[in-house]
Amino acid sequence: MAKYHNKKTVIDGITFDSKAEALYYEQLKQLKENKQIKDFELQPRFLLQEAFKKNGKTFRKIEYIADFKVTNLDDSVEIIDIKGVETEAFKLKKKLFERKYLYKLTLLTYVKKYGGWIELDEYSRLKKAGKKAKG
């Protein structure tokens, strides 16, 4: 088991951090085969802050490594991250990414109850609404 109860999954010799990430990879392969997207890339890296030195101390660069970079048929690019929850560290990286890059960043989670892939913000909203209805 990896962090946050994810189970590493291997497909096509590639190790994914979770079953959901592997499932999305398979979906992207089908979309590409069916010519519904141009291409996709695994683990694209984005520099959020360069390394620097201050008072004799070296500070390492800060990078954000997304799960997927998808190039659509119209050449637009979307960055996809498969998440169950947004950690505080991720929220900070997301904010830095949004400031520096023009790409659309989409956070997805897989929930059978809601028909499969759903944006994480929408899933959180639906969970809250469900709790209010019960409470």
Side-chain angles (χ1 to χ4, degrees), residues 1-2 6-23 25 42-43 65-68:
M1 290 292 239
N6 290 332
K7 186 176 182 201
K8 292 211 181 259
T9 304
V10 179
I11 296 179
D12 296 340
I14 303 164
T15 302
F16 294 92
D17 288 335
S18 68
K19 286 182 184 179
E21 198 177 315
L23 185 65
Y25 164 75
L42 304 175
Q43 305 274 290
I65 304 170
D67 292 327
F68 304 99

Side-chain angles (χ1 to χ4, degrees), residues 8 31-32 49 61 81 87 90 93 102 112 118:
K8 292 211 181 259
L31 290 172
K32 185 177 178 182
Q49 180 179 292
K61 66 184 175 185
D81 222 323
T87 63
F90 176 77
K93 285 186 176 187
L102 295 175
K112 280 186 182 179
I118 184 170

Side-chain angles (χ1 to χ4, degrees), residues 2 37 45 72-73 105 115 132:
I37 62 171
R45 292 176 173 266
N72 296 305
L73 296 176
L105 175 58
K132 276 187 180 177

Side-chain angles (χ1 to χ4, degrees), residues 2-106:
K3 61 183 179 179
Y4 308 110
H5 307 289
N6 290 332
K7 186 176 182 201
K8 292 211 181 259
T9 304
V10 179
I11 296 179
D12 296 340
I14 303 164
T15 302
F16 294 92
D17 288 335
S18 68
K19 286 182 184 179
E21 198 177 315
L23 185 65
Y24 198 75
Y25 164 75
E26 289 188 311
Q27 180 174 317
L28 287 174
K29 281 189 355 183
Q30 286 184 333
L31 290 172
K32 185 177 178 182
E33 285 173 18
N34 295 329
K35 299 188 183 337
Q36 293 176 279
I37 62 171
K38 267 191 184 172
D39 205 2
F40 67 94
E41 180 183 324
L42 304 175
Q43 305 274 290
R45 292 176 173 266
F46 300 93
L47 182 64
L48 301 177
Q49 180 179 292
E50 297 78 14
F52 64 96
K53 286 187 178 191
K54 181 178 178 183
N55 299 328
K57 184 175 179 186
T58 300
F59 292 84
R60 292 174 42 195
K61 66 184 175 185
I62 299 173
E63 280 188 317
Y64 163 52
I65 304 170
D67 292 327
F68 304 99
K69 178 180 178 182
V70 178
T71 304
N72 296 305
L73 296 176
D74 63 359
D75 286 326
S76 65
V77 172
E78 189 172 1
I79 306 306
I80 307 287
D81 222 323
I82 308 302
K83 294 272 183 231
V85 295
E86 283 186 80
T87 63
E88 291 306 311
F90 176 77
K91 286 177 185 179
L92 181 58
K93 285 186 176 187
K94 177 181 164 187
K95 191 181 285 190
L96 292 168
F97 175 89
E98 293 289 10
R99 173 140 168 70
K100 189 168 183 175
Y101 294 95
L102 295 175
Y103 298 129
K104 179 181 182 203
L105 175 58
T106 303

